[in-house]
Amino acid sequence: MVKKSLGITVSRYIMDLQHMFPEAKGDLTGLLNELIVAAKTINAEVNKAGLADILGQSGKKNVQGEEVQNLDELTNNTIKKRMESCGYVCAMVSEEEDNIIPVRKGYSGKYTLAFDPLDGSSNIDVNVSIGTIFSIPRRITSSSEVSSYDIPGTAEDFLQKGSEQVAAGYILYGSSTMMVFSTGHGVNGFTLDPSVGEFYLSHKNIKIPKTCKYLSINEGNHKYWNENMKNYIDHIKDREISSRYIGSLVADFHRNLISGGIFLYPKDKKDPSKKQGKLRLLYEAAPLAFLIQQAGGKAVTDEGEDILEIKPTSIHQRTPLIIGNKDAVSEAIEFLN
Ligand code: P6P
């Protein structure tokens, strides 16, 4: 097992993990390290988001009259720039871009990267925690090592079940900045010491507590739910449980992962785009489902389908999501079906 003493840096942890697999060539290590640099860069920008108007970073013109990116664009470009010529990914999918994002010619790699650069960004203006979510499946369209450097990835490389992910995780820009991820060997949390610029192992081998302490759902959508969902929510509120919903998926997920809870974003009748729920499969539901399974929890649709077993048909497809304590999710599904 990887030596996971509290306080080791995330880079040391990733290197230790690589040494567990002699056949590993270090591509995943390199990819994760690039993501760490991107996370530190984004963190610096997010931490001064409140000054955006003053610093002219709110998508308006800055003091020099230059068009300045807003934070969504800035975080999206930060990740793209770091990954497009790192040689570890063959293509990318971002919540911010309609089509798959190619990497520089000659720099194609054996993984793909799907990400939500800044989930919950509407909360920036009210200083609520936001996050970056990432999913790393292996490419499937070109197996031979040599040729893959020149062969760009395609949409097909992304249309894989969540169970095929090699790694997944998120960076939470909250009261402290944390990187929480798994490569299939448990879930570990690393907290950034901004004075040093290092992420240190602070939460090792995270397991979701057995007790479901929190219920996270937007009750403002109550009138749009189907009857079964309405009855389930009334049922679960009859017992000792606290309602916590901050409207930032990463923050709601992280609180429930650490303290125990169930998060639901079911499909609702509010508008046609949410017929299949609001959250995206590739870079929101699937990576979090990978993490919760590693942490002893469960993630399903409101029909009870395992999120990790859904084969995507399009890169931005949405899915209903019920995620959290295994018992609580199982009870919800019994109730809903
Ligand atoms: P609602 C943020 O926009 C987001 O994508 C998730 O982070 C969050 O869980 C959800 O939407 C909140 O949606 O409809 O409750 O405001």
Side-chain angles (χ1 to χ4, degrees):
M1 280 304 279
V2 179
K3 183 177 176 330
K4 294 179 192 165
S5 53
L6 281 177
I8 63 169
T9 63
V10 65
S11 305
R12 159 76 192 285
Y13 171 78
I14 293 168
M15 281 312 294
D16 286 354
L17 208 55
Q18 181 185 321
H19 291 148
M20 281 172 63
F21 305 94
E23 74 286 1
K25 294 191 175 61
D27 290 58
L28 182 59
T29 297
L31 201 174
L32 289 169
N33 278 319
E34 291 294 342
L35 273 179
I36 290 162
V37 176
K40 292 175 184 175
T41 309
I42 293 168
N43 179 63
E45 290 305 325
V46 164
N47 280 350
K48 58 185 181 203
L51 299 170
D53 283 336
I54 300 164
L55 300 179
Q57 290 167 336
S58 55
K60 300 170 187 146
K61 297 219 183 292
N62 65 13
V63 287
Q64 288 80 21
E66 297 147 358
E67 191 59 46
V68 182
Q69 299 164 342
N70 69 17
L71 221 43
D72 282 313
E73 280 172 59
L74 193 139
T75 51
N76 186 51
N77 289 337
T78 298
I79 296 173
K80 277 169 47 178
K81 291 277 165 285
R82 288 234 61 89
M83 307 316 285
E84 66 187 5
S85 49
C86 68
Y88 304 123
V89 293
C90 63
M92 292 175 266
V93 160
S94 167
E95 196 261 354
E96 291 291 318
E97 308 208 12
D98 291 344
N99 305 314
I100 69 167
I101 303 159
V103 297
R104 274 180 56 194
K105 186 149 174 50
Y107 288 86
S108 191
K110 65 184 184 187
Y111 295 104
T112 61
L113 175 68
F115 61 95
D116 186 351
L118 206 56
D119 180 75
S121 51
S122 55
N123 286 312
I124 291 172
D125 297 342
V126 292
N127 207 13
V128 161
S129 302
I130 49 184
T132 299
I133 311 173
F134 60 89
S135 166
I136 303 172
R138 201 171 271 105
R139 79 171 298 170
I140 49 179
T141 51
S142 157
S143 52
S144 61
E145 285 296 309
V146 178
S147 64
S148 68
Y149 288 113
D150 291 321
I151 300 177
T154 68
E156 190 196 336
D157 285 303
F158 294 92
L159 303 183
Q160 304 179 51
K161 291 181 178 180
S163 53
E164 298 298 321
Q165 292 173 97
V166 173
Y170 55 85
I171 297 102
L172 175 61
Y173 311 100
S175 46
S176 56
T177 294
M178 277 191 75
M179 181 172 183
V180 178
F181 71 95
S182 174
T183 58
H185 307 281
V187 181
N188 289 283
F190 300 81
T191 300
L192 180 67
D193 175 342
S195 65
V196 178
E198 270 297 353
F199 282 98
Y200 294 103
L201 179 61
S202 54
H203 299 67
K204 69 179 181 180
N205 199 22
I206 302 172
K207 294 294 178 195
I208 186 167
K210 268 199 79 54
T211 313
C212 182
K213 187 174 174 186
Y214 293 118
L215 166 65
S216 305
I217 189 165
N218 181 347
E219 299 218 39
N221 294 332
H222 184 273
K223 49 194 170 297
Y224 303 118
W225 298 335
N226 65 32
E227 285 314 305
N228 284 352
M229 181 54 76
K230 291 180 182 176
N231 295 336
Y232 165 68
I233 295 299
D234 293 343
H235 162 76
I236 194 171
K237 282 161 67 174
D238 270 349
R239 67 175 66 138
E240 274 312 303
I241 196 164
S242 292
S243 194
R244 288 281 190 288
Y245 188 81
I246 196 170
S248 234
L249 175 59
V250 176
D252 280 320
F253 175 85
H254 184 73
R255 179 199 53 246
N256 292 352
L257 173 68
I258 301 297
S259 305
I262 183 168
F263 173 99
L264 304 96
Y265 208 112
K267 51 167 121 25
D268 67 43
K269 302 182 280 264
K270 190 171 180 178
D271 61 54
S273 73
K274 297 211 291 184
K275 255 197 346 279
Q276 278 311 319
K278 171 180 185 183
L279 301 176
R280 310 285 184 165
L281 177 59
L282 247 60
Y283 40 78
E284 289 178 328
L288 298 185
F290 184 81
L291 290 178
I292 205 74
Q293 185 186 65
Q294 286 286 318
K298 190 171 182 170
V300 296
T301 66
D302 47 11
E303 269 94 35
E305 188 180 5
D306 185 337
I307 293 287
L308 293 175
E309 291 309 312
I310 301 175
K311 189 171 185 327
T313 52
S314 73
I315 57 175
H316 294 296
Q317 82 180 55
R318 298 174 193 264
T319 177
L321 177 63
I322 303 178
I323 188 167
N325 295 81
K326 192 174 281 186
D327 297 349
V329 170
S330 302
E331 183 200 34
I333 291 314
E334 263 169 55
F335 219 93
L336 294 173
N337 295 285

